Amino acid sequence: MSCKIVQVLVEPGTEVTQDMPLVVLEAMKMEHVIKAPKAGKISDVYYKVGDLVDEGKSLVAFEE
């Protein structure tokens, strides 16, 4: 099932803490907040608002 990106709350270079909201998705008219699995720095954001995303896809990347 595809989800729609409704908010992107980070950009490359953003320092995040564990559980910080990163992206808000909409699926079946419900919003789901995707939170950071760990603290770190965002190196890339793969989608923008309005994009459709398939289940299991990475939304952002962390610097190593």
Side-chain angles (χ1 to χ4, degrees), residues 7-17 20-24 34 36 40-48 59-62:
Q7 281 186 291
V8 177
L9 305 171
V10 295
E11 59 187 32
T14 303
E15 292 279 347
V16 299
T17 57
M20 182 174 165
L22 303 174
V23 177
V24 180
I34 306 304
K41 188 181 228 182
I42 302 297
S43 63
D44 202 1
V45 177
Y46 299 128
Y47 298 94
K48 64 185 182 314
L59 303 175
V60 302
F62 285 83

Side-chain angles (χ1 to χ4, degrees), residues 2-35:
S2 293
C3 301
K4 182 178 172 183
I5 304 285
V6 294
Q7 281 186 291
V8 177
L9 305 171
V10 295
E11 59 187 32
T14 303
E15 292 279 347
V16 299
T17 57
Q18 186 172 353
D19 295 325
M20 182 174 165
L22 303 174
V23 177
V24 180
L25 304 174
E26 182 181 277
M28 298 177 64
K29 299 191 181 193
M30 294 179 63
E31 289 190 353
H32 304 278
V33 177
I34 306 304
K35 297 180 180 179

